[in-house]
């Protein structure tokens, strides 16, 4: 039902109610019919189901299988190393599963947070009597009574109001409280402009009113949002998809290679089946990157800690990497790109345009004409009018901090007066208010009367054209002069100029020595005087204000553009304001109105989103359509927001970014990342961190596969010559040293210098792309050649198979450390830029030396190496390093980035 398109008398008829409200019996019957006024929560997901879902990834299943087989082999052969290795795998897998469980379980509480937003009490009329009821008992047809500070309990149609203003920013994105009316509106009026309607969970900022409840619970606009949020399901991040795919590919590759090695051993060497099985399992453990989940978790956790220091709270670890992949950011305007604090930036006084510096609630500022400062005393009367014809104020709150109370527009006037040294509280003490005409959307003006030593003075503020209708004189050059038609024309032209720049403009006037026998509005208390307070007033000037852009946002948007990320403003504000802010921020001015979005087909919208830079006057449904159109075009989208209206889009976005300071619980719970300082600049930092994490994971996979493929190929080639290159314990030790500390430390490498000059990762780009495949194949083959050279040269040195195995055993660990240097070199990272990696490499070397030069060597079947052995080993490894560096440069040169 389009309640806003009906006269309220017709609304009463449709709802079978009256101005006196429902009877108790009718209300009880409707409560039974419609149910409690609460947002229904969908079927809860079992915590056990969430926990078990953490172990469905293919790589995790392979690791669990490998752990099980290791335990069986350990039992059959009585080998403690197998038990230890299986235990390490299980610890990694279970810890990773628990971490994911807690993250997902917390996300499921978003609908619960939405329900808890509902106010607990409401003042209603039933049978002509006032009752304070639990909000759950409100039903369609109830009459609700509203006053400043009330949170609206249900959607309702207004039928009586006086100066009623409602803050709807958390639903529509509109930054200024909306003036409410009772008039009928066209059926086509969009949600943000339904001035005769009230919506659940919005807040009354001023005035009083009465309204008839039209919708409750899940049928309200907020309830519809809850349903959309519930329909979203558990989204899968791009990184989760990538890890699942990588695990399947690696697992399949490993099993094919191991099967080939096992078959070779059976048919060529005629080795015992049990020995072959043990070697195969050892190779599987060595080749499968069981460190991948741990490295990913560590990299994401480390990135999370870094982001927390920069005021970004990451709720879902995978999303920080996903943020590094986004190529479109859809951002709200109010409080995200702007200060969410109306600020007077222009004044028109004494026929001059004056700039006012300082933004938001900064009480310091200057008044300037061009570069020349203007003494604020010259415009004291105008600023005094703004401070006194005003219901807002600044007081000292807790811990001696300033507390700003009142309508944002009125606070802007109070702040502009403070910049001139005029305190509204001091002015009110000197000139106490004795009468007033409150502002209303019908009058479009406000008038206050103040007692002064010389009698009374009245001040008026309002729409400039309205204020001019009440003026006969103008204050110019410190004097009052007759207001001419030329003066009016100049004032209205200046008003139009300010308005074209998306400034909200107010006109001001005053009148001295007002008769004490008169009252506001021209109605006389007694006597026959015809002139009233609002007649022949003196026009003072204009004050123009805007919710200004945050200082740092412009540069952040430019950085995003350089990084290949498109920023789109999606706001509930009007298109003129949105275009003005977009122009100031460098976003552009190609804008589409919400009504146009409404009329577009899905295909038309998909074309429009590729060119639009701003979407204005959008509803929550429009936001979702815009988001889905971008995603349908292949974009990875981050959505920022703070209000109830943003929750469905935050939930559906590839990465949802909520505001921590101003954001609602609903938005925060539906999001992946929360900006604790509500600063768009922090998103830029998160993008860089996300890209760094992906880069580090790619380096880890590259390092691991080069090393592991070399291990498998060395074993395979050696088996062709009927020799065993490694024993099972040696393979497991290699796996522990190289896949352990150095690999983990690689996951926390610093950002490459050009990370924010690269284009976003392509939608389908894999961790192992074409360049990675070429590096794995070429460097893996080179490693195999040099390691086999070490092995066969050692066999000819007279020390037998044990010496050859000892040299190969140490050589492969040293070669894997060299690979770290080569791989990091392509990212232009210095040798000592990662202190954790330096420590890990030193520890691995120390453990290897301790093993071969201690009694432990006998357990692993190795002997100590002499100077000759070390000379051969280091010489060949140095040559392999030179060849590997040269090969890496060639591969990087011939394969484009992202290929």
């Amino acid at each position: 039902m389009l309640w806003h398109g009906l006269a309220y008398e017709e609304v009463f008829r449709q709802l079978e109610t009256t101005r006196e409200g429902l009877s108790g019996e009718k209300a009880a019957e409707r409560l039974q019919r419609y149910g409690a006024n609460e947002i229904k929560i969908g079927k809860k997901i079992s915590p056990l189901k969430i926990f078990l879902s953490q172990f469905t990834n293919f790589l995790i299943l392979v690791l669990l299988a490998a752990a099980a087989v290791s335990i069986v082999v350990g039992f059959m052969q009585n080998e403690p190393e197998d038990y230890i290795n299986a235990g390490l795998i299980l610890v990694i897998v279970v810890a990773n599963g628990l971490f994911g469980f807690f993250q997902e379980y917390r996300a499921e509480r978003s609908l619960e947070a939405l329900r808890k937003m509902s106010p607990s009490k409401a003042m209603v009329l039933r049978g002509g009597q006032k009752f304070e009821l639990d909000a759950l008992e409100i039903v369609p047809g109830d009459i609700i009574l509203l006053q400043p500070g009330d949170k609206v309990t249900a959607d309702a149609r207004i039928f009586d109001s006086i100066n009623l203003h409602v803050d709807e920013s958390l639903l529509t994105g509109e930054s200024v409280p909306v003036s409410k009316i009772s008039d009928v509106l066209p059926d086509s009026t969009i949600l943000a402009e339904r001035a005769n309607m009230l919506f659940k969970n919005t807040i009354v900022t001023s005035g009083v009113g009465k309204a008839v409840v039209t919708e409750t619970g899940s049928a309200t606009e907020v309830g519809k949002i809850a349903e959309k949020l519930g329909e979203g399901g558990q989204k899968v991040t791009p990184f989760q998809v990538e890890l699942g795919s990588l695990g399947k590919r690696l697992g399949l590759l490993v099993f094919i290679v191991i099967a080939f090695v096992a078959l070779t051993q059976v048919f060529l060497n005629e080795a015992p089946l049990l020995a072959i099985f043990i070697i195969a399992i050892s190779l599987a453990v060595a080749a499968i990157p069981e460190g991948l989940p741990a490295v990913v978790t560590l990299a994401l956790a480390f990135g999370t800690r870094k982001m927390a220091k920069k005021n970004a709270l990451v709720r879902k670890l995978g999303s920080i990497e996903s943020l590094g992949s986004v190529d479109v950011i859809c951002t709200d305007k109010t409080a995200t790109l702007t200060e969410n604090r109306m600020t007077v930036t222009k004044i028109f006084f004494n026929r001059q345009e004056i700039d006012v510096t300082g933004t938001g609630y900064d009480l310091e500022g200057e008044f300037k004409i061009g570069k020349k400062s203007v003494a604020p005393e010259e415009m004291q009367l105008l600023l005094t009018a703004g401070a006194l014809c005003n219901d807002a104020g600044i007081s000292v709150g807790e811990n001696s901090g300033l507390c700003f109370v009142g309508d944002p527009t009125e606070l802007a006037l109070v702040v502009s007066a403070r910049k001139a040294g005029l305190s509204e509280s001091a002015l009110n003490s000197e000139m106490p208010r004795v009468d007033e005409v409150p502002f209303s959307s019908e009058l479009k003006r406000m008038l206050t009367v103040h007692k002064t030593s010389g009698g009374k003075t009245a001040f008026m503020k309002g729409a400039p054209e309205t204020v001019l209708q009440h003026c006969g004189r103008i204050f110019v050059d410190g004097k009052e002069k007759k207001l001419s038609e030329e003066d009016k024309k100049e004032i209205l032209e200046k008003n139009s100029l300010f308005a074209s720049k998306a400034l909200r403009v107010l006109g001001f006037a005053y009148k001295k020595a007002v008769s004490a026998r008169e009252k506001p509005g021209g109605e006389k208390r007694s006597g026959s005087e015809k002139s009233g307070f609002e007649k022949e007033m003196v026009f003072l000037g204009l004050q123009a204000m805007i919710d200004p852009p945050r200082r740092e946002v412009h540069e952040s948007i430019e950085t995003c553009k350089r990084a290949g990320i498109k920023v789109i403003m999606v706001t509930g504000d009007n298109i003129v304001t949105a275009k003005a802010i977009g122009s100031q921020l460098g976003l552009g001015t190609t804008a589409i109105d919400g009504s146009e979005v409404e009329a577009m087909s899905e295909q038309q919208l998909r074309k429009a989103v590729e060119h639009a830079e701003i979407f204005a006057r959008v509803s929550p449904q429009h936001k979702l359509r815009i988001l889905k159109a971008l995603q349908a075009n292949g974009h990875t989208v981050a959505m920022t927001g703070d209000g109830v209206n943003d929750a469905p889009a935050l939930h559906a976005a590839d990465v949802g970014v909520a505001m921590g300071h101003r954001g609602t619980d609903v938005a925060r719970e539906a999001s992946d990342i929360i900006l604790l300082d509500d600063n768009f600049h922090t998103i830029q930092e998160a993008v860089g961190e996300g890209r760094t994490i992906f880069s580090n994971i790619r380096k880890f996979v590259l390092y691991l596969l080069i090393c592991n493929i070399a291990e498998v190929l060395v074993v395979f080639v050696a088996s062709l010559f009927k020799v065993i290159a490694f024993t099972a314990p040696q393979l497991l030790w290699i796996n522990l040293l190289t896949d352990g500390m150095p690999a983990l430390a690689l996951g926390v490498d610093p950002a490459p210098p050009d990370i924010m000059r690269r284009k976003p990762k392509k939608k389908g780009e894999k961790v192992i792309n074409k360049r990675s495949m070429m590096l794995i194949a070429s460097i893996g083959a080179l490693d195999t050649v040099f390691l086999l050279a070490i092995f066969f040269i050692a066999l000819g040195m007279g020390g037998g198979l044990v010496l050859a195995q000892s040299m190969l055993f140490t050589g492969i660990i040293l070669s894997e450390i060299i690979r770290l240097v080569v791989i990091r070199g392509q990212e232009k990272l210095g040798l000592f830029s990662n202190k954790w990696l330096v420590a890990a490499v030193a520890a691995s070397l120390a453990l290897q030396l301790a093993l071969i030069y201690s009694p432990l060597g006998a357990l692993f079947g190795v002997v100590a190496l002499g100077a000759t052995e070390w000379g051969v080993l280091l010489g060949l490894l140095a040559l392999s390093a030179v060849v590997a560096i040269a090969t890496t440069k060639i591969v990087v040169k011939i394969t484009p980035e992202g290929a």
Side-chain angles (χ1 to χ4, degrees):
M1 182 69 72
L2 300 175
W3 301 107
H4 61 277
L6 301 176
Y8 58 77
E9 294 88 354
E10 177 61 17
V11 176
F12 285 140
R13 192 184 70 78
Q14 293 271 2
L15 293 170
E16 299 179 3
T17 188
T18 68
R19 285 175 172 269
E20 302 300 309
L22 300 169
S23 65
E25 293 77 14
K26 262 192 176 180
E29 183 271 327
R30 292 190 184 190
L31 185 61
Q32 189 73 23
R33 190 198 320 172
Y34 295 106
N37 179 28
E38 63 180 345
I39 296 168
K40 301 294 183 183
I41 295 179
K43 184 179 178 181
K44 292 184 179 179
I45 296 178
S46 161
L48 179 61
K49 186 176 180 181
I50 295 174
F51 178 71
L52 293 177
S53 70
Q54 307 303 312
F55 303 97
T56 57
N57 177 279
F58 183 78
L59 180 58
I60 296 294
L61 294 176
V62 170
L63 290 175
L64 289 174
V69 173
S70 292
I71 291 172
V72 171
V73 172
F75 176 76
M76 293 172 62
Q77 295 293 310
N78 195 26
E79 292 287 349
E81 293 88 353
D82 291 320
Y83 290 124
I84 294 171
N85 201 69
L88 287 173
I89 293 172
L90 290 173
V91 167
I92 290 170
V93 169
V94 172
N96 199 62
L98 285 171
F99 192 87
F101 163 75
F102 286 120
Q103 291 296 326
E104 289 191 25
Y105 184 69
R106 183 181 179 189
E108 286 306 311
R109 293 165 44 209
S110 59
L111 287 175
E112 182 69 21
L114 184 54
R115 184 180 69 164
K116 290 180 178 178
M117 280 186 61
S118 299
S120 56
K121 299 291 181 182
M123 189 66 70
V124 302
L125 276 178
R126 283 190 178 172
Q129 301 293 315
K130 288 184 181 180
F131 294 94
E132 186 178 47
L133 299 179
D134 192 307
L136 294 175
E137 299 175 32
I138 301 298
V139 295
D142 265 330
I143 305 301
I144 55 175
L145 309 178
L146 302 152
Q147 59 184 10
D150 285 351
K151 186 178 279 188
V152 180
T153 55
D155 288 3
R157 171 70 161 84
I158 299 165
F159 64 86
D160 190 12
S161 67
I162 300 174
N163 192 32
L164 184 63
H165 287 75
V166 179
D167 180 357
E168 296 182 344
S169 62
L170 297 182
L171 183 65
T172 67
E174 175 67 63
S175 58
V176 178
V178 179
S179 177
K180 291 297 183 178
I181 59 175
S182 58
D183 301 345
V184 179
L185 296 173
D187 288 350
S188 60
T189 306
I190 63 173
L191 182 74
E193 295 177 356
R194 293 176 189 173
N196 60 4
M197 294 293 296
L198 295 171
F199 301 105
K200 186 178 177 70
N201 288 334
T202 57
I203 299 171
V204 178
T205 59
S206 63
V208 295
K210 295 179 182 178
V212 55
V213 173
T214 56
E215 310 287 356
T216 59
S218 297
T220 62
E221 291 299 326
V222 172
K224 293 173 187 175
I225 292 173
E227 288 183 357
K228 290 286 185 183
L229 200 59
E231 291 167 5
Q234 292 295 305
K235 69 181 180 185
V236 180
T237 68
F239 193 50
Q240 287 174 313
V241 173
E242 172 68 8
L243 279 182
S245 173
L246 177 61
K248 290 177 182 178
R249 291 160 68 196
L250 291 181
L252 183 62
L253 179 64
V254 166
F255 282 132
I256 290 172
V257 172
I258 290 172
F260 192 63
V261 169
L263 289 173
T264 302
Q265 290 283 348
V266 170
F267 292 109
L268 291 183
N269 295 346
E270 300 179 354
L273 289 177
L274 185 59
I276 292 172
F277 183 67
I278 293 170
I279 289 290
I281 291 302
S282 299
L283 267 178
V285 172
I288 293 173
E290 71 273 16
L292 181 58
V295 168
V296 170
T297 301
L298 178 67
L300 294 173
F302 189 78
T304 298
R305 189 174 68 177
K306 287 174 68 177
M307 290 310 304
K309 293 179 180 178
K310 297 175 181 177
N311 292 312
L313 176 64
V314 179
R315 296 184 59 251
K316 301 169 186 175
L317 285 187
S319 62
I320 190 171
E321 186 281 331
S322 300
L323 186 58
S325 305
V326 301
D327 57 356
V328 176
I329 298 175
C330 290
T331 174
D332 190 20
K333 176 186 73 69
T334 305
T336 308
L337 298 176
T338 64
E339 296 275 0
N340 192 33
R341 294 175 173 180
M342 295 297 286
T343 305
V344 173
T345 58
K346 295 280 187 181
I347 286 176
F348 182 65
F349 177 76
N350 202 24
R351 297 195 174 114
Q352 293 179 307
E353 183 179 321
I354 300 165
D355 294 317
V356 185
T357 65
T359 60
Y361 293 158
D362 184 357
L363 302 184
E364 300 294 326
E366 292 185 272
F367 301 87
K368 293 185 172 184
I369 299 176
K371 295 183 179 180
K372 183 181 177 183
S373 294
V374 178
E377 291 78 17
E378 295 180 19
M379 61 197 83
Q380 182 168 339
L381 200 53
L382 171 63
L383 298 172
T384 298
L388 288 177
C389 191
N390 196 318
D391 291 323
I394 304 173
S395 58
V396 179
E398 294 181 9
N399 301 321
S400 301
L402 293 178
C403 185
F404 297 82
V405 181
D407 181 270
T409 298
E410 293 198 316
L411 278 170
L413 299 172
V414 169
V415 170
S416 73
R418 287 286 189 115
K419 290 174 181 177
L422 299 173
S423 166
E424 72 287 351
S425 56
L427 289 171
N428 275 301
S429 297
E430 295 172 15
M431 294 183 283
R433 186 185 301 186
V434 295
D435 219 334
E436 67 180 293
V437 175
F439 180 86
S440 71
S441 57
E442 292 78 19
L443 292 174
K444 295 184 178 179
R445 67 181 186 275
M446 175 181 181
L447 183 128
T448 58
V449 181
H450 301 263
K451 185 178 180 181
T452 64
S453 57
K456 292 182 180 179
T457 299
F459 294 103
M460 178 185 284
K461 77 173 180 196
E465 59 274 16
T466 302
V467 173
L468 281 172
Q469 292 172 8
H470 297 271
C471 294
R473 301 178 68 77
I474 185 170
F475 193 82
V476 179
D477 296 330
K479 300 174 184 178
E480 295 179 11
K481 297 181 180 179
K482 181 177 174 60
L483 182 66
S484 66
E485 289 302 316
E486 288 76 13
D487 291 327
K488 289 183 181 180
K489 182 180 178 183
E490 183 183 13
I491 292 165
L492 292 175
E493 284 178 351
K494 187 60 67 173
N495 175 46
S496 297
L497 177 63
F498 287 160
S500 69
K501 297 178 180 178
L503 296 171
R504 187 178 188 191
V505 190
L506 292 175
F508 297 86
Y510 86 115
K511 188 174 182 181
K512 279 187 177 181
V514 178
S515 167
R517 293 163 64 86
E518 298 170 273
K519 69 179 269 188
E523 181 185 342
K524 292 180 284 186
R525 296 175 187 270
S526 63
S528 58
E529 291 90 348
K530 293 182 179 180
S531 60
F533 282 131
E534 299 177 324
K535 301 287 186 180
E536 293 297 311
M537 299 191 78
V538 181
F539 187 82
L540 292 171
L542 305 173
Q543 291 199 60
M545 63 195 70
I546 195 170
D547 181 11
R550 291 177 177 268
R551 293 187 185 97
E552 65 280 353
V553 167
H554 188 282
E555 179 55 35
S556 296
I557 289 173
E558 288 302 312
T559 301
C560 287
K561 287 181 178 179
R562 288 193 295 270
I565 300 169
K566 181 180 180 180
V567 181
I568 301 175
M569 182 196 300
V570 183
T571 178
D573 259 349
N574 67 75
I575 198 164
V576 175
T577 301
K579 288 173 72 173
I581 295 296
S583 178
Q584 291 180 49
L585 291 173
L587 279 177
T589 57
T590 305
I592 295 176
D593 189 84
S595 58
E596 297 176 68
V597 174
E598 188 76 34
M600 288 180 182
S601 66
E602 296 304 318
Q603 200 61 35
Q604 288 172 326
L605 185 57
R606 285 183 62 178
K607 290 181 180 178
V609 295
E610 293 301 317
H611 306 290
E613 294 148 332
I614 297 167
F615 286 91
R617 281 295 189 209
V618 294
S619 68
Q621 288 75 19
H622 295 154
K623 285 192 172 187
L624 267 179
R625 285 193 67 203
I626 292 164
L627 171 68
K628 291 184 182 299
L630 286 163
Q631 291 174 324
N633 287 349
H635 294 291
T636 303
V637 186
M639 171 69 74
T640 73
D642 54 17
V644 175
N645 63 319
D646 297 318
L650 289 173
H651 189 73
D654 296 290
V655 182
V657 185
M659 303 299 117
H661 181 67
R662 186 175 180 270
T664 61
D665 287 342
V666 181
R668 288 194 288 265
E669 289 291 339
S671 69
D672 303 300
I673 296 173
I674 299 170
L675 305 184
L676 301 178
D677 57 358
D678 292 9
N679 195 333
F680 185 87
H681 174 73
T682 308
I683 299 174
Q684 173 205 319
E685 300 283 343
V687 168
E689 195 60 45
R691 291 184 175 192
T692 300
I693 286 170
F694 184 79
S695 173
N696 288 346
I697 292 170
R698 173 172 279 169
K699 280 185 290 187
F700 164 79
V701 172
L702 189 62
Y703 158 74
L704 202 66
L705 291 186
I706 289 173
C707 300
N708 290 3
I709 282 178
E711 290 174 30
V712 173
L713 289 177
V714 166
V715 171
F716 170 66
V717 173
S719 69
L720 296 177
F721 290 89
K722 299 185 179 183
V723 291
I724 298 175
F726 300 108
T727 64
Q730 288 171 356
L731 279 171
L732 295 176
W733 178 259
I734 292 168
N735 186 54
L736 178 65
L737 287 196
T738 58
D739 291 8
M741 293 180 293
L744 289 173
L746 198 61
V748 295
D749 245 2
D754 63 341
I755 196 70
M756 287 305 288
R757 292 192 295 274
R758 300 177 184 177
K759 297 299 179 185
K761 182 168 72 77
K762 294 177 182 177
K763 188 82 172 179
E765 185 181 342
K766 306 297 184 184
V767 172
I768 304 177
N769 57 8
K770 183 178 179 182
R771 177 184 290 180
S772 299
M773 286 296 293
M774 290 185 69
L775 286 172
I776 290 167
S778 58
I779 305 301
L782 283 170
D783 268 3
T784 303
V785 169
F786 280 98
L787 288 170
L788 286 171
I790 290 170
F791 182 69
F792 285 110
I793 288 173
L795 280 175
M797 293 175 69
L801 181 61
V802 174
L803 177 63
Q805 287 180 334
S806 300
M807 288 182 65
L808 180 62
F809 178 46
T810 303
I812 199 164
I813 288 174
L814 293 176
S815 72
E816 295 190 7
I817 291 172
I818 291 171
R819 282 321 134 246
L820 289 173
V821 177
V822 173
I823 291 169
R824 294 178 77 246
Q826 65 172 316
E827 297 279 5
K828 300 177 182 178
L829 293 171
L831 287 173
F832 302 101
S833 58
N834 183 345
K835 63 181 180 181
W836 301 107
L837 186 58
V838 172
V841 168
S844 293
L845 286 174
L847 286 170
Q848 179 65 13
L849 292 173
L851 178 67
I852 62 175
Y853 290 108
S854 73
L856 287 173
L859 295 175
F860 285 84
V862 295
V863 295
L865 302 181
T868 303
E869 290 84 4
W870 275 111
V872 172
L873 194 62
L874 295 178
L876 286 171
L877 289 176
L879 181 59
S880 77
V882 172
V883 176
I885 291 171
T887 303
T888 300
K889 288 181 178 179
I890 293 170
V891 171
V892 170
K893 187 175 182 180
I894 64 175
T895 54
E897 185 181 340

